Amino acid sequence: MAKLIVANWKENPETEAEALKLFAATANIPRTGKGANIEVVICPPFVYLEPIAAEFKKLPAGEKRRHALGGQDIFWERTGAFTGEIGPGMLKSLGARYTIVGHSERRKILKETDEMINKKVIAGLAAGLRVILCVGESRETRKQGDVAAVKFIKEQLTRDLRGVGRWPLKAGHLVIAYEPIWAISNGNGAGKNCPPSEALAMTQFIKLVIKKLKLKTPVLYGGSVNGKDARGYLSHPEIDGALVGGASLNPKEFEKICQSAI
Ligand code: PGA
């Protein structure tokens, strides 16, 4: 299976001109040799989706197949009196194939609950979007040890995926991103790194939980992934890709990450 490399630009860059420049640099990364078997999902802020989708359409067919656009979030209602929200159909109509849901920054800063995230997962899948659900434990939970961390992840997955097992889910339509909160950078890709062995152990555990929920999904790792350490995660066949924040804003660094995906 192709590895999935997701570029989460977060609230960056500040202008449309910069966003178009970053997209051009990211879409031009050579996909040769070791980097050939990957799919790159670019998740810009909503407001840049339309101009980027116009540029996306101009990519050669082969490149178009290896790239996709995604949103960083969705709301669970398709339309209505929900000021500021963006429905899954709106994202799709702009050319997005994926959406991230349940990112820890939204959970923490915007107080999103598991109940809200569960509704978003279901709404995204119902609209035919590919949903990347982020899960991850806090530093406090991690400090309590492995048992506490896996218990937290199991409960978070169970709550966020309530009812999803009853779905006729197509392969690759639901993706889990394991993002330990303590390993996410402040936007520069240089935070405290989660050792690849720990990321692998949690990936294997997540796959077991997912199986018990009667699901099968790829599992990505996210948290300070950069050009230097990407291979440590991506060389494991069980880690199906990476969710990259800070380093996705630097095309050179992002290129190294893409080339690390075997
Ligand atoms: P980071 O962000 O790579 O900057 O740590 C990852 C994420 O939050 O998705």
Side-chain angles (χ1 to χ4, degrees), residues 8 10 103 105 179 183-185 187-189 222-225 243-247:
N8 176 14
K10 306 191 179 182
H103 192 280
E105 284 150 12
E179 296 210 302
I184 294 177
S185 79
N188 52 8
S224 300
V225 176
L243 178 43
V244 185

Side-chain angles (χ1 to χ4, degrees), residues 68-110:
L69 297 179
Q72 296 175 14
D73 185 38
I74 43 164
F75 191 57
W76 57 82
E77 296 286 354
R78 297 183 78 92
T79 56
F82 305 103
T83 303
E85 295 299 340
I86 308 280
M90 297 174 187
L91 262 194
K92 269 189 85 180
S93 74
L94 289 185
R97 201 142 78 95
Y98 284 83
T99 184
I100 298 171
V101 163
H103 192 280
S104 60
E105 284 150 12
R106 298 199 62 85
R107 292 180 192 259
K108 186 167 172 232
I109 305 165
L110 294 150

Side-chain angles (χ1 to χ4, degrees), residues 7 9 39 41 44 50-51 70-71 86 98 100 145 149 164 184 196-197 206 212:
W9 290 0
E39 182 180 5
V41 182
E50 189 171 12
I86 308 280
Y98 284 83
I100 298 171
V164 177
I184 294 177
S197 58
I206 289 173
K212 283 213 181 105

